[in-house]
Amino acid sequence: MSRVNRVRCFAPLLLSLAVAENVAAQTLEEKIAQLEQALEQQQQRIEQQQQQLQDQQDRIQQQKRKLEDQQLGLELLRSDVLMQSRGAGPAQSDQPTRQVQVAQNQQQANQQPVGQAPKQSQQQRRPVVAELAEVGGVLTPKGVLVLEPSLQYAHSDVNRVTFRGIEILSSLGIGILEAVDADRDSVTASLTGRLGITQRLELELKVPYIYRSEKEGALIPQLDDDPVASSSLDGSGIGDIEAAFHYQLNNGEDGWPYLILNGRLKLANGRGPFDVDRNDEGIGQELATGSGFYSFEPSITALYPSAPAVFFGNLGYVFNISDDVDKVIGAGSENGAQRIGKVDPGDAVRMSFGMGYSINERAAFTLGFKNDWIQATKTEINGVEVSSSQLNIGSILMGYSYQLRPNVGINLNLEFGITDDAPDMLMTFRMPFSNKVF
């Protein structure tokens, strides 16, 4: 076979191979394009999933921040509530001592319907203390130190009219009519420290500095020479130092409220009423900054959370310790010297109750009532025992709180006297700082 014939024989075969190769190349290109498209779609799905994951992480962070804010609000509410409910030293007729605060967490109650007890799984959780945002509970946590500077202002305005003489008829009397107006003001700057020893035990120390002033004017119309007599006194210095402990008795399980046992000791380091300077007639030339007597007050506090509120109550008894003063005053007075012997300040029963309510994650307010019943003070004068009248000090409580940062808050508390013996108004501003020390 000639060469030409051989070429003619293999030409169809070569053409078929070229066509097949072209088809294979086109098929490969299509497959590559399909793979590239599939990879692009897969990449888009991955990017969408990554975006969804990022959105979920952002929502989780938002929920965490919201939960932290809610915990701050709850802890702020507990702080304001316990300010009204825990014992804070013996009551005084012209300046009742303000009650001291600790915080309590209600994270368990916040997860339940209003008024219902926590589930069994939550009851097992032992509450921790709430002075910092990341913890919760009833008292200051173990190793946490709270320093709380405070400033308190109290005002009393006493007006009374006294008739000294003989009343012949209801509209006719022979004697002297005396009208007295007394204004009493006091400012107390205090520094309070609280330290969590264990998760259930807290120790407290309070050091006050007191400034007091009193202005009294008496109008006696029957005296023509000078019908108006006035006097002004003041006094300042360190007040009575107070030391206290607070112990959480239970975990608030099975529908029980949280129970806290309190004990408060008040020292007699301040300048007492028998330590002030007096003139020859025995009239004091300055005001006392302390009571002059030691006292001890045991009390118990109950807290019942029912989100978004917390109900509180406190009951205590103040034991005022008697002392033998053994001082002579008024040596130059018309009645002669008066020897002061044993003085037994009256004990007191203290009671308070109320409710705290969380406005939002950071703000809260408190409404309540407190009453102190103070027994008569017995004083031995020249060997004869005389007794004063009993006192009834009742006040309406109002409190406002705001959490600036997880470890810093501000609190404003008001008391309005509703009995004759209570101060007209008492206002306290506090700013607690928390820090972990061990």
Side-chain angles (χ1 to χ4, degrees), residues 115-240:
Q116 293 187 10
K119 295 180 180 179
Q120 183 64 27
S121 61
Q122 293 174 329
Q123 291 176 355
Q124 307 267 343
R125 302 175 187 173
R126 182 174 178 267
V128 268
V129 180
E131 279 297 330
L132 298 175
E134 63 269 19
V135 295
V138 177
L139 297 178
T140 303
K142 179 181 178 180
V144 173
L145 175 65
V146 180
L147 292 178
E148 183 181 273
S150 64
L151 188 65
Q152 181 184 87
Y153 170 72
H155 174 75
S156 297
D157 188 6
V158 179
N159 295 284
R160 67 175 184 269
V161 177
T162 304
F163 176 73
R164 300 177 181 177
I166 301 174
E167 185 179 30
I168 301 176
L169 299 173
S170 59
S171 59
L172 177 61
I174 300 176
I176 295 178
L177 184 65
E178 179 182 7
V180 177
D181 180 19
D183 292 326
R184 300 185 178 98
D185 297 280
S186 66
V187 178
T188 304
S190 302
L191 180 62
T192 302
R194 296 191 295 272
L195 178 63
I197 304 301
T198 68
Q199 296 291 11
R200 287 179 175 267
L201 177 62
E202 170 188 300
L203 298 182
E204 178 183 327
L205 183 67
K206 180 179 180 180
V207 181
Y209 185 89
I210 299 175
Y211 171 79
R212 297 178 59 195
S213 66
E214 178 177 318
K215 296 180 180 179
E216 182 173 304
L219 175 63
I220 307 176
Q222 291 81 359
L223 299 180
D224 296 333
D225 296 337
D226 188 7
V228 178
S230 62
S231 63
S232 178
L233 293 176
D234 59 20
S236 61
I238 296 294
D240 294 339

Side-chain angles (χ1 to χ4, degrees), residues 4-18:
V4 174
N5 290 333
R6 287 196 299 268
V7 171
R8 288 178 180 175
C9 291
F10 287 105
L13 179 60
L14 293 174
L15 181 61
S16 299
L17 290 174

Side-chain angles (χ1 to χ4, degrees), residues 12 114 146 181 208 277 301 374 385 398:
V114 175
V146 180
D181 180 19
D277 296 332
T301 298
I374 304 178
E385 184 179 274
M398 296 180 62

